[in-house]
Amino acid sequence: MVDYFMKKAILEAEKAYDMDEVPVGAVVVKDGKIIGRGFNQKELAKDATKHAEILAINEACKTLNAWRLTGCTMYVTLEPCAMCAGALVNSRIDNLIIGARDPKTGACGSVFNIVNEEKLNHGINVEFGVMEDECSTMLKDFFKKLRSRDDD
């Protein structure tokens, strides 16, 4: 099931890719059902907070009519940044499944570890490397395409 839900997150990332957004996708799952989806929309919305994770959390909260996402798992193609890691902690999500690490801004173990900061009131079970090749290849292809456009 882990690959199944990561594939759904990758489909979300592909939506971002097709819109010239950094291709990150996320889904929130509870009891084997997707209750929230999101893909990066910062450029489209001209809003720095329109990250895939935030959008998926928002939809999941609306679905459950609650802000607490206990019993939920997020699948995301790229390690969340500090803003998104904070939102995950604040939403009380239980599990986080990550495709590719982000060595520059990852806040779930790579640069910071907000999701398991002992001073915070909630910790998250984190698993890295699920469908990592697919997730990182999409990101690399996107930035390669972007650089080639800039060279023209």
Side-chain angles (χ1 to χ4, degrees):
M1 286 305 273
V2 173
D3 282 0
Y4 172 82
F5 289 119
M6 186 57 77
K7 286 177 185 174
K8 296 299 184 184
I10 290 170
L11 289 174
E12 293 298 310
E14 288 172 354
K15 292 177 188 176
Y17 188 101
D18 291 342
M19 299 172 85
D20 284 336
E21 296 274 357
V22 175
V24 177
V27 296
V28 177
V29 176
K30 183 173 177 111
D31 300 327
K33 294 170 75 172
I34 295 174
I35 61 167
R37 300 171 190 267
F39 61 90
N40 275 0
Q41 298 178 41
K42 286 182 357 180
E43 299 297 332
L44 179 70
K46 306 292 186 243
D47 183 338
T49 66
K50 297 294 184 186
H51 287 208
E53 300 93 326
I54 301 294
L55 296 170
I57 288 169
N58 287 341
E59 187 174 297
C61 289
K62 285 178 186 163
T63 300
L64 295 179
N65 194 30
W67 64 267
R68 287 183 184 89
L69 297 180
T70 51
C72 294
T73 299
M74 176 177 280
Y75 295 79
V76 63
T77 58
L78 181 66
E79 181 179 0
C81 69
M83 174 182 69
C84 294
L88 287 161
V89 170
N90 284 323
S91 72
R92 308 297 195 272
I93 205 152
D94 289 339
N95 305 294
L96 178 61
I97 312 297
I98 300 169
R101 286 187 180 269
D102 185 344
K104 293 183 180 176
T105 64
C108 301
S110 292
V111 177
F112 305 105
N113 196 354
I114 292 171
V115 296
N116 283 301
E117 169 54 54
E118 62 187 36
K119 294 177 185 170
L120 297 177
N121 64 341
H122 179 71
I124 299 172
N125 300 315
V126 179
E127 181 181 342
F128 281 97
V130 174
M131 299 186 70
E132 183 176 8
D133 289 342
E134 293 89 335
C135 295
S136 62
T137 297
M138 185 185 311
L139 285 156
K140 288 174 187 170
D141 289 349
F142 175 80
F143 287 110
K144 186 177 179 180
K145 179 179 84 168
L146 207 58
R147 283 190 299 273
S148 71
R149 259 196 246 152
D150 291 343
D151 292 342
D152 291 339

